[in-house]
Amino acid sequence: EGHIIMLGEYHGSARISEFTAALLPMLHANGFSYFAAEVGPHSARVLQECYRQNSGAGQGLFHLHNRYGFWEEDGYFNPPIPFFEYKEDVLFLDKAMSMGWQLFGIDQEYYYSGVMLLDRMYEALAENEQYNLQEPYRALRDRMSSLYEDDIAGNTKFSLEILDSEDLRNFCNEVADYGDNAQIAADFYRSMDIYALYARRRWYENNATRIAYQKQLLSRQLTSSGYRFDKDKLLVKMGGIHTSKGFSRLALYEVGSMLQGLADYHGVKC
């Protein structure tokens, strides 16, 4: 009877991804066709493209992580898109995509997504514009990669440095009229603003701003997709704190509270 199901997870668990994959056919048979994940909206589009362009997301994600991920000396891997690094994650993503589900990204773009999103903006340009902007694009790409490496080494904070980059702002202004570039740039800057609060140790403001942004992104995607609460059904897979109802341990009302309120308003179960 429920129209909204929230799966509050602890991150990095292969078993939860396997459980999600096992749930999907049953949910699909009961009318579910929307899936919200803890990734950025543009990252969600990349995930869907990985599936569509490769007859399954595995190969596309493998190349994506190899191209855009950053390794630390202790072997820790920082992906461009979080929570989709393992084969179990690919399993449930493939299953959802094969059934024609629509994926919502309802979080900030990830800290290490910068080079990936820069490439996405550049690739949206017409061929002559790519030629005209080739040199500043390459210089900016190298600069972003270097900043990530310096951040990992503990020498700087990527979010603070990139927000001060006039070269990036000039590039974003130059490419804004092509494709979704204006929105990509706006969402990237919004995400870095949130990360910058963390870098400045403004902990509560960081969490409050991020959660408010999650709610705004959820509202944006529900509206743009034409989602109908009386007809459509939504699965949400996020960290358990974000799916909590009522006051969370961060002293905030999370996405779970928002969805419960929307469900109550529309007379459906959550």
Side-chain angles (χ1 to χ4, degrees), residues 28-72:
H28 188 72
N30 283 276
F32 282 78
S33 60
Y34 291 86
F35 178 30
E38 196 175 338
V39 299
H42 307 288
S43 293
R45 293 192 184 97
V46 172
L47 290 172
Q48 292 176 92
E49 290 168 7
C50 283
Y51 172 82
R52 293 169 183 154
Q53 295 173 3
N54 298 278
S55 300
Q59 183 179 3
L61 280 169
F62 176 79
H63 291 303
L64 186 84
H65 290 318
N66 279 342
R67 184 177 184 184
Y68 296 116
F70 290 85
W71 290 93
E72 300 190 20

mmCIF file of all heavy atoms in Angstrom, residues 28-72:
data_model
loop_
_atom_site.group_PDB
_atom_site.id
_atom_site.type_symbol
_atom_site.label_atom_id
_atom_site.label_comp_id
_atom_site.label_asym_id
_atom_site.label_seq_id
_atom_site.Cartn_x
_atom_site.Cartn_y
_atom_site.Cartn_z
ATOM 1 N N HIS A 28 8.823 -3.249 -8.234
ATOM 2 C CA HIS A 28 8.397 -2.945 -9.610
ATOM 3 C C HIS A 28 7.024 -3.544 -9.896
ATOM 4 O O HIS A 28 6.172 -2.877 -10.515
ATOM 5 C CB HIS A 28 9.428 -3.482 -10.598
ATOM 6 C CG HIS A 28 9.175 -3.066 -12.011
ATOM 7 N ND1 HIS A 28 9.375 -1.787 -12.468
ATOM 8 C CD2 HIS A 28 8.716 -3.777 -13.083
ATOM 9 C CE1 HIS A 28 9.069 -1.708 -13.759
ATOM 10 N NE2 HIS A 28 8.664 -2.907 -14.153
ATOM 11 N N ALA A 29 6.821 -4.751 -9.441
ATOM 12 C CA ALA A 29 5.528 -5.416 -9.649
ATOM 13 C C ALA A 29 4.398 -4.693 -8.921
ATOM 14 O O ALA A 29 3.220 -4.853 -9.273
ATOM 15 C CB ALA A 29 5.608 -6.869 -9.177
ATOM 16 N N ASN A 30 4.764 -3.887 -7.913
ATOM 17 C CA ASN A 30 3.758 -3.141 -7.158
ATOM 18 C C ASN A 30 3.727 -1.652 -7.528
ATOM 19 O O ASN A 30 3.245 -0.828 -6.754
ATOM 20 C CB ASN A 30 4.018 -3.296 -5.666
ATOM 21 C CG ASN A 30 3.565 -4.644 -5.137
ATOM 22 O OD1 ASN A 30 2.387 -4.830 -4.816
ATOM 23 N ND2 ASN A 30 4.474 -5.607 -5.072
ATOM 24 N N GLY A 31 4.282 -1.329 -8.688
ATOM 25 C CA GLY A 31 4.109 0.003 -9.241
ATOM 26 C C GLY A 31 5.210 1.005 -8.967
ATOM 27 O O GLY A 31 5.087 2.176 -9.344
ATOM 28 N N PHE A 32 6.319 0.584 -8.342
ATOM 29 C CA PHE A 32 7.429 1.509 -8.112
ATOM 30 C C PHE A 32 8.241 1.682 -9.398
ATOM 31 O O PHE A 32 8.516 0.716 -10.108
ATOM 32 C CB PHE A 32 8.335 0.979 -7.000
ATOM 33 C CG PHE A 32 7.806 1.201 -5.613
ATOM 34 C CD1 PHE A 32 6.804 0.381 -5.109
ATOM 35 C CD2 PHE A 32 8.291 2.220 -4.816
ATOM 36 C CE1 PHE A 32 6.292 0.578 -3.834
ATOM 37 C CE2 PHE A 32 7.789 2.437 -3.537
ATOM 38 C CZ PHE A 32 6.784 1.605 -3.041
ATOM 39 N N SER A 33 8.619 2.923 -9.673
ATOM 40 C CA SER A 33 9.421 3.177 -10.877
ATOM 41 C C SER A 33 10.354 4.375 -10.723
ATOM 42 O O SER A 33 10.983 4.790 -11.691
ATOM 43 C CB SER A 33 8.509 3.405 -12.086
ATOM 44 O OG SER A 33 7.664 4.522 -11.872
ATOM 45 N N TYR A 34 10.462 4.925 -9.503
ATOM 46 C CA TYR A 34 11.361 6.044 -9.220
ATOM 47 C C TYR A 34 12.293 5.653 -8.078
ATOM 48 O O TYR A 34 11.875 4.999 -7.126
ATOM 49 C CB TYR A 34 10.581 7.309 -8.836
ATOM 50 C CG TYR A 34 9.810 7.923 -9.969
ATOM 51 C CD1 TYR A 34 8.521 7.476 -10.284
ATOM 52 C CD2 TYR A 34 10.352 8.953 -10.735
ATOM 53 C CE1 TYR A 34 7.798 8.036 -11.322
ATOM 54 C CE2 TYR A 34 9.628 9.521 -11.782
ATOM 55 C CZ TYR A 34 8.364 9.057 -12.068
ATOM 56 O OH TYR A 34 7.652 9.622 -13.108
ATOM 57 N N PHE A 35 13.536 6.101 -8.213
ATOM 58 C CA PHE A 35 14.571 5.700 -7.269
ATOM 59 C C PHE A 35 15.438 6.912 -6.953
ATOM 60 O O PHE A 35 16.038 7.505 -7.850
ATOM 61 C CB PHE A 35 15.406 4.586 -7.914
ATOM 62 C CG PHE A 35 16.546 4.078 -7.089
ATOM 63 C CD1 PHE A 35 16.502 4.072 -5.711
ATOM 64 C CD2 PHE A 35 17.693 3.573 -7.711
ATOM 65 C CE1 PHE A 35 17.555 3.601 -4.956
ATOM 66 C CE2 PHE A 35 18.746 3.094 -6.967
ATOM 67 C CZ PHE A 35 18.684 3.107 -5.583
ATOM 68 N N ALA A 36 15.474 7.332 -5.694
ATOM 69 C CA ALA A 36 16.280 8.478 -5.271
ATOM 70 C C ALA A 36 17.518 7.990 -4.539
ATOM 71 O O ALA A 36 17.426 7.140 -3.648
ATOM 72 C CB ALA A 36 15.466 9.400 -4.374
ATOM 73 N N ALA A 37 18.681 8.527 -4.911
ATOM 74 C CA ALA A 37 19.950 8.093 -4.331
ATOM 75 C C ALA A 37 20.735 9.286 -3.821
ATOM 76 O O ALA A 37 20.520 10.433 -4.241
ATOM 77 C CB ALA A 37 20.768 7.323 -5.370
ATOM 78 N N GLU A 38 21.684 8.997 -2.936
ATOM 79 C CA GLU A 38 22.499 10.027 -2.292
ATOM 80 C C GLU A 38 23.681 10.416 -3.174
ATOM 81 O O GLU A 38 24.848 10.273 -2.798
ATOM 82 C CB GLU A 38 22.967 9.505 -0.928
ATOM 83 C CG GLU A 38 23.479 10.568 0.016
ATOM 84 C CD GLU A 38 23.801 10.007 1.393
ATOM 85 O OE1 GLU A 38 23.266 8.946 1.755
ATOM 86 O OE2 GLU A 38 24.610 10.642 2.105
ATOM 87 N N VAL A 39 23.358 10.903 -4.365
ATOM 88 C CA VAL A 39 24.356 11.408 -5.311
ATOM 89 C C VAL A 39 23.838 12.711 -5.882
ATOM 90 O O VAL A 39 22.652 13.050 -5.743
ATOM 91 C CB VAL A 39 24.628 10.404 -6.454
ATOM 92 C CG1 VAL A 39 25.183 9.089 -5.913
ATOM 93 C CG2 VAL A 39 23.377 10.150 -7.293
ATOM 94 N N GLY A 40 24.705 13.469 -6.542
ATOM 95 C CA GLY A 40 24.295 14.711 -7.165
ATOM 96 C C GLY A 40 23.397 14.470 -8.369
ATOM 97 O O GLY A 40 23.412 13.391 -8.969
ATOM 98 N N PRO A 41 22.612 15.469 -8.779
ATOM 99 C CA PRO A 41 21.710 15.293 -9.925
ATOM 100 C C PRO A 41 22.429 15.027 -11.233
ATOM 101 O O PRO A 41 21.945 14.250 -12.069
ATOM 102 C CB PRO A 41 20.940 16.617 -9.969
ATOM 103 C CG PRO A 41 21.791 17.595 -9.221
ATOM 104 C CD PRO A 41 22.480 16.804 -8.161
ATOM 105 N N HIS A 42 23.591 15.624 -11.430
ATOM 106 C CA HIS A 42 24.339 15.385 -12.665
ATOM 107 C C HIS A 42 25.068 14.053 -12.598
ATOM 108 O O HIS A 42 25.205 13.362 -13.607
ATOM 109 C CB HIS A 42 25.283 16.552 -12.924
ATOM 110 C CG HIS A 42 24.567 17.866 -12.910
ATOM 111 N ND1 HIS A 42 23.723 18.268 -13.919
ATOM 112 C CD2 HIS A 42 24.521 18.853 -11.968
ATOM 113 C CE1 HIS A 42 23.190 19.443 -13.621
ATOM 114 N NE2 HIS A 42 23.668 19.817 -12.438
ATOM 115 N N SER A 43 25.507 13.675 -11.408
ATOM 116 C CA SER A 43 26.089 12.343 -11.230
ATOM 117 C C SER A 43 25.056 11.264 -11.517
ATOM 118 O O SER A 43 25.386 10.209 -12.078
ATOM 119 C CB SER A 43 26.633 12.194 -9.803
ATOM 120 O OG SER A 43 27.744 13.053 -9.590
ATOM 121 N N ALA A 44 23.800 11.507 -11.147
ATOM 122 C CA ALA A 44 22.744 10.540 -11.444
ATOM 123 C C ALA A 44 22.591 10.347 -12.954
ATOM 124 O O ALA A 44 22.391 9.228 -13.433
ATOM 125 C CB ALA A 44 21.424 11.004 -10.833
ATOM 126 N N ARG A 45 22.710 11.436 -13.699
ATOM 127 C CA ARG A 45 22.636 11.314 -15.155
ATOM 128 C C ARG A 45 23.820 10.519 -15.699
ATOM 129 O O ARG A 45 23.679 9.710 -16.627
ATOM 130 C CB ARG A 45 22.587 12.705 -15.799
ATOM 131 C CG ARG A 45 21.315 13.468 -15.502
ATOM 132 C CD ARG A 45 21.185 14.691 -16.390
ATOM 133 N NE ARG A 45 20.013 15.476 -16.026
ATOM 134 C CZ ARG A 45 20.036 16.537 -15.243
ATOM 135 N NH1 ARG A 45 21.181 16.984 -14.753
ATOM 136 N NH2 ARG A 45 18.923 17.197 -14.957
ATOM 137 N N VAL A 46 24.990 10.730 -15.124
ATOM 138 C CA VAL A 46 26.168 9.968 -15.547
ATOM 139 C C VAL A 46 25.954 8.486 -15.280
ATOM 140 O O VAL A 46 26.293 7.631 -16.120
ATOM 141 C CB VAL A 46 27.429 10.480 -14.827
ATOM 142 C CG1 VAL A 46 28.621 9.561 -15.108
ATOM 143 C CG2 VAL A 46 27.756 11.908 -15.257
ATOM 144 N N LEU A 47 25.406 8.136 -14.131
ATOM 145 C CA LEU A 47 25.142 6.732 -13.806
ATOM 146 C C LEU A 47 24.189 6.114 -14.825
ATOM 147 O O LEU A 47 24.406 4.977 -15.283
ATOM 148 C CB LEU A 47 24.545 6.617 -12.407
ATOM 149 C CG LEU A 47 25.483 6.925 -11.237
ATOM 150 C CD1 LEU A 47 24.700 6.960 -9.934
ATOM 151 C CD2 LEU A 47 26.610 5.906 -11.154
ATOM 152 N N GLN A 48 23.154 6.839 -15.196
ATOM 153 C CA GLN A 48 22.207 6.316 -16.175
ATOM 154 C C GLN A 48 22.865 6.152 -17.541
ATOM 155 O O GLN A 48 22.600 5.179 -18.258
ATOM 156 C CB GLN A 48 20.995 7.242 -16.256
ATOM 157 C CG GLN A 48 20.160 7.222 -14.980
ATOM 158 C CD GLN A 48 19.013 8.211 -14.990
ATOM 159 O OE1 GLN A 48 17.893 7.879 -15.391
ATOM 160 N NE2 GLN A 48 19.278 9.428 -14.558
ATOM 161 N N GLU A 49 23.741 7.077 -17.899
ATOM 162 C CA GLU A 49 24.455 6.965 -19.165
ATOM 163 C C GLU A 49 25.415 5.784 -19.158
ATOM 164 O O GLU A 49 25.602 5.127 -20.193
ATOM 165 C CB GLU A 49 25.200 8.262 -19.456
ATOM 166 C CG GLU A 49 24.269 9.422 -19.792
ATOM 167 C CD GLU A 49 24.973 10.767 -19.799
ATOM 168 O OE1 GLU A 49 26.229 10.782 -19.662
ATOM 169 O OE2 GLU A 49 24.287 11.804 -19.914
ATOM 170 N N CYS A 50 26.038 5.520 -18.022
ATOM 171 C CA CYS A 50 26.926 4.353 -17.917
ATOM 172 C C CYS A 50 26.171 3.076 -18.252
ATOM 173 O O CYS A 50 26.710 2.170 -18.890
ATOM 174 C CB CYS A 50 27.518 4.259 -16.508
ATOM 175 S SG CYS A 50 28.857 5.408 -16.155
ATOM 176 N N TYR A 51 24.928 3.013 -17.833
ATOM 177 C CA TYR A 51 24.112 1.835 -18.134
ATOM 178 C C TYR A 51 23.707 1.810 -19.609
ATOM 179 O O TYR A 51 23.891 0.807 -20.302
ATOM 180 C CB TYR A 51 22.862 1.826 -17.256
ATOM 181 C CG TYR A 51 21.880 0.739 -17.652
ATOM 182 C CD1 TYR A 51 22.063 -0.573 -17.216
ATOM 183 C CD2 TYR A 51 20.797 1.015 -18.482
ATOM 184 C CE1 TYR A 51 21.183 -1.572 -17.592
ATOM 185 C CE2 TYR A 51 19.905 0.020 -18.858
ATOM 186 C CZ TYR A 51 20.106 -1.272 -18.415
ATOM 187 O OH TYR A 51 19.235 -2.262 -18.800
ATOM 188 N N ARG A 52 23.184 2.916 -20.102
ATOM 189 C CA ARG A 52 22.628 2.928 -21.449
ATOM 190 C C ARG A 52 23.684 2.797 -22.534
ATOM 191 O O ARG A 52 23.444 2.200 -23.590
ATOM 192 C CB ARG A 52 21.836 4.222 -21.655
ATOM 193 C CG ARG A 52 20.580 4.305 -20.805
ATOM 194 C CD ARG A 52 19.978 5.682 -20.826
ATOM 195 N NE ARG A 52 18.807 5.772 -19.948
ATOM 196 C CZ ARG A 52 18.384 6.896 -19.387
ATOM 197 N NH1 ARG A 52 19.035 8.032 -19.616
ATOM 198 N NH2 ARG A 52 17.333 6.890 -18.605
ATOM 199 N N GLN A 53 24.856 3.347 -22.301
ATOM 200 C CA GLN A 53 25.895 3.346 -23.330
ATOM 201 C C GLN A 53 26.736 2.082 -23.345
ATOM 202 O O GLN A 53 27.527 1.873 -24.265
ATOM 203 C CB GLN A 53 26.799 4.565 -23.134
ATOM 204 C CG GLN A 53 26.078 5.890 -23.351
ATOM 205 C CD GLN A 53 26.926 7.091 -22.993
ATOM 206 O OE1 GLN A 53 28.091 6.958 -22.617
ATOM 207 N NE2 GLN A 53 26.351 8.282 -23.101
ATOM 208 N N ASN A 54 26.574 1.231 -22.336
ATOM 209 C CA ASN A 54 27.431 0.040 -22.232
ATOM 210 C C ASN A 54 26.657 -1.254 -22.023
ATOM 211 O O ASN A 54 27.234 -2.274 -21.682
ATOM 212 C CB ASN A 54 28.408 0.216 -21.063
ATOM 213 C CG ASN A 54 29.340 1.397 -21.252
ATOM 214 O OD1 ASN A 54 30.345 1.307 -21.940
ATOM 215 N ND2 ASN A 54 28.987 2.523 -20.629
ATOM 216 N N SER A 55 25.313 -1.205 -22.236
ATOM 217 C CA SER A 55 24.473 -2.381 -22.003
ATOM 218 C C SER A 55 24.694 -2.934 -20.596
ATOM 219 O O SER A 55 24.835 -4.144 -20.388
ATOM 220 C CB SER A 55 24.755 -3.471 -23.063
ATOM 221 O OG SER A 55 24.491 -2.983 -24.359
ATOM 222 N N GLY A 56 24.737 -2.061 -19.640
ATOM 223 C CA GLY A 56 25.012 -2.397 -18.253
ATOM 224 C C GLY A 56 26.032 -1.409 -17.712
ATOM 225 O O GLY A 56 26.933 -0.964 -18.432
ATOM 226 N N ALA A 57 25.890 -1.072 -16.430
ATOM 227 C CA ALA A 57 26.694 0.015 -15.872
ATOM 228 C C ALA A 57 28.116 -0.382 -15.509
ATOM 229 O O ALA A 57 28.966 0.486 -15.326
ATOM 230 C CB ALA A 57 25.993 0.582 -14.631
ATOM 231 N N GLY A 58 28.395 -1.674 -15.393
ATOM 232 C CA GLY A 58 29.688 -2.113 -14.871
ATOM 233 C C GLY A 58 30.891 -1.576 -15.614
ATOM 234 O O GLY A 58 31.798 -0.990 -15.017
ATOM 235 N N GLN A 59 30.922 -1.749 -16.916
ATOM 236 C CA GLN A 59 32.066 -1.309 -17.703
ATOM 237 C C GLN A 59 32.201 0.212 -17.669
ATOM 238 O O GLN A 59 33.299 0.754 -17.520
ATOM 239 C CB GLN A 59 31.936 -1.782 -19.156
ATOM 240 C CG GLN A 59 33.141 -1.427 -20.021
ATOM 241 C CD GLN A 59 33.002 -1.933 -21.453
ATOM 242 O OE1 GLN A 59 31.995 -2.506 -21.827
ATOM 243 N NE2 GLN A 59 34.033 -1.715 -22.257
ATOM 244 N N GLY A 60 31.073 0.911 -17.791
ATOM 245 C CA GLY A 60 31.121 2.365 -17.770
ATOM 246 C C GLY A 60 31.621 2.905 -16.445
ATOM 247 O O GLY A 60 32.428 3.843 -16.406
ATOM 248 N N LEU A 61 31.174 2.320 -15.334
ATOM 249 C CA LEU A 61 31.623 2.770 -14.016
ATOM 250 C C LEU A 61 33.093 2.439 -13.792
ATOM 251 O O LEU A 61 33.814 3.207 -13.159
ATOM 252 C CB LEU A 61 30.758 2.135 -12.922
ATOM 253 C CG LEU A 61 29.409 2.812 -12.701
ATOM 254 C CD1 LEU A 61 28.529 1.964 -11.793
ATOM 255 C CD2 LEU A 61 29.582 4.200 -12.117
ATOM 256 N N PHE A 62 33.528 1.303 -14.307
ATOM 257 C CA PHE A 62 34.944 0.936 -14.190
ATOM 258 C C PHE A 62 35.819 1.996 -14.844
ATOM 259 O O PHE A 62 36.797 2.472 -14.248
ATOM 260 C CB PHE A 62 35.177 -0.434 -14.832
ATOM 261 C CG PHE A 62 36.612 -0.863 -14.846
ATOM 262 C CD1 PHE A 62 37.207 -1.389 -13.697
ATOM 263 C CD2 PHE A 62 37.389 -0.741 -15.993
ATOM 264 C CE1 PHE A 62 38.538 -1.781 -13.706
ATOM 265 C CE2 PHE A 62 38.716 -1.127 -16.009
ATOM 266 C CZ PHE A 62 39.287 -1.655 -14.855
ATOM 267 N N HIS A 63 35.466 2.388 -16.063
ATOM 268 C CA HIS A 63 36.253 3.406 -16.764
ATOM 269 C C HIS A 63 36.106 4.775 -16.098
ATOM 270 O O HIS A 63 37.076 5.544 -16.036
ATOM 271 C CB HIS A 63 35.823 3.472 -18.230
ATOM 272 C CG HIS A 63 36.198 2.260 -19.028
ATOM 273 N ND1 HIS A 63 37.499 1.822 -19.135
ATOM 274 C CD2 HIS A 63 35.451 1.382 -19.746
ATOM 275 C CE1 HIS A 63 37.542 0.728 -19.898
ATOM 276 N NE2 HIS A 63 36.307 0.448 -20.276
ATOM 277 N N LEU A 64 34.918 5.073 -15.599
ATOM 278 C CA LEU A 64 34.687 6.352 -14.939
ATOM 279 C C LEU A 64 35.578 6.490 -13.704
ATOM 280 O O LEU A 64 36.240 7.517 -13.503
ATOM 281 C CB LEU A 64 33.216 6.464 -14.538
ATOM 282 C CG LEU A 64 32.794 7.807 -13.952
ATOM 283 C CD1 LEU A 64 32.458 8.791 -15.072
ATOM 284 C CD2 LEU A 64 31.574 7.634 -13.041
ATOM 285 N N HIS A 65 35.618 5.464 -12.880
ATOM 286 C CA HIS A 65 36.430 5.520 -11.667
ATOM 287 C C HIS A 65 37.924 5.567 -12.003
ATOM 288 O O HIS A 65 38.686 6.276 -11.330
ATOM 289 C CB HIS A 65 36.129 4.317 -10.778
ATOM 290 C CG HIS A 65 34.762 4.353 -10.158
ATOM 291 N ND1 HIS A 65 34.221 5.499 -9.630
ATOM 292 C CD2 HIS A 65 33.825 3.392 -9.979
ATOM 293 C CE1 HIS A 65 33.018 5.235 -9.151
ATOM 294 N NE2 HIS A 65 32.750 3.970 -9.359
ATOM 295 N N ASN A 66 38.328 4.832 -13.016
ATOM 296 C CA ASN A 66 39.736 4.870 -13.418
ATOM 297 C C ASN A 66 40.136 6.244 -13.948
ATOM 298 O O ASN A 66 41.264 6.701 -13.731
ATOM 299 C CB ASN A 66 40.012 3.811 -14.492
ATOM 300 C CG ASN A 66 40.219 2.439 -13.913
ATOM 301 O OD1 ASN A 66 40.493 2.288 -12.719
ATOM 302 N ND2 ASN A 66 40.085 1.411 -14.733
ATOM 303 N N ARG A 67 39.226 6.885 -14.617
ATOM 304 C CA ARG A 67 39.540 8.174 -15.235
ATOM 305 C C ARG A 67 39.509 9.324 -14.236
ATOM 306 O O ARG A 67 40.333 10.245 -14.311
ATOM 307 C CB ARG A 67 38.543 8.453 -16.362
ATOM 308 C CG ARG A 67 38.842 9.730 -17.153
ATOM 309 C CD ARG A 67 37.867 9.902 -18.308
ATOM 310 N NE ARG A 67 38.201 11.055 -19.125
ATOM 311 C CZ ARG A 67 37.475 11.494 -20.155
ATOM 312 N NH1 ARG A 67 36.365 10.845 -20.489
ATOM 313 N NH2 ARG A 67 37.846 12.550 -20.839
ATOM 314 N N TYR A 68 38.585 9.267 -13.283
ATOM 315 C CA TYR A 68 38.354 10.429 -12.437
ATOM 316 C C TYR A 68 38.614 10.215 -10.948
ATOM 317 O O TYR A 68 38.545 11.176 -10.169
ATOM 318 C CB TYR A 68 36.911 10.913 -12.606
ATOM 319 C CG TYR A 68 36.591 11.403 -13.994
ATOM 320 C CD1 TYR A 68 35.653 10.750 -14.790
ATOM 321 C CD2 TYR A 68 37.229 12.518 -14.527
ATOM 322 C CE1 TYR A 68 35.343 11.199 -16.058
ATOM 323 C CE2 TYR A 68 36.933 12.983 -15.802
ATOM 324 C CZ TYR A 68 35.989 12.318 -16.565
ATOM 325 O OH TYR A 68 35.691 12.760 -17.823
ATOM 326 N N GLY A 69 38.889 8.987 -10.527
ATOM 327 C CA GLY A 69 39.107 8.745 -9.112
ATOM 328 C C GLY A 69 40.509 9.141 -8.664
ATOM 329 O O GLY A 69 41.429 9.280 -9.477
ATOM 330 N N PHE A 70 40.659 9.338 -7.359
ATOM 331 C CA PHE A 70 41.946 9.718 -6.780
ATOM 332 C C PHE A 70 42.290 8.775 -5.631
ATOM 333 O O PHE A 70 41.495 8.589 -4.706
ATOM 334 C CB PHE A 70 41.904 11.170 -6.274
ATOM 335 C CG PHE A 70 41.846 12.185 -7.375
ATOM 336 C CD1 PHE A 70 40.634 12.547 -7.941
ATOM 337 C CD2 PHE A 70 43.013 12.758 -7.875
ATOM 338 C CE1 PHE A 70 40.569 13.478 -8.957
ATOM 339 C CE2 PHE A 70 42.970 13.687 -8.897
ATOM 340 C CZ PHE A 70 41.744 14.044 -9.445
ATOM 341 N N TRP A 71 43.489 8.201 -5.698
ATOM 342 C CA TRP A 71 43.952 7.255 -4.692
ATOM 343 C C TRP A 71 44.782 7.974 -3.632
ATOM 344 O O TRP A 71 45.487 8.932 -3.918
ATOM 345 C CB TRP A 71 44.799 6.161 -5.325
ATOM 346 C CG TRP A 71 44.031 5.212 -6.188
ATOM 347 C CD1 TRP A 71 43.829 5.302 -7.533
ATOM 348 C CD2 TRP A 71 43.355 4.033 -5.765
ATOM 349 N NE1 TRP A 71 43.079 4.256 -7.984
ATOM 350 C CE2 TRP A 71 42.766 3.451 -6.915
ATOM 351 C CE3 TRP A 71 43.191 3.397 -4.517
ATOM 352 C CZ2 TRP A 71 42.028 2.263 -6.855
ATOM 353 C CZ3 TRP A 71 42.456 2.217 -4.462
ATOM 354 C CH2 TRP A 71 41.883 1.667 -5.625
ATOM 355 N N GLU A 72 44.700 7.470 -2.422
ATOM 356 C CA GLU A 72 45.545 7.943 -1.342
ATOM 357 C C GLU A 72 46.646 6.923 -1.079
ATOM 358 O O GLU A 72 46.557 5.769 -1.509
ATOM 359 C CB GLU A 72 44.711 8.185 -0.080
ATOM 360 C CG GLU A 72 43.616 9.223 -0.314
ATOM 361 C CD GLU A 72 42.927 9.664 0.961
ATOM 362 O OE1 GLU A 72 43.517 9.484 2.060
ATOM 363 O OE2 GLU A 72 41.798 10.206 0.867
#
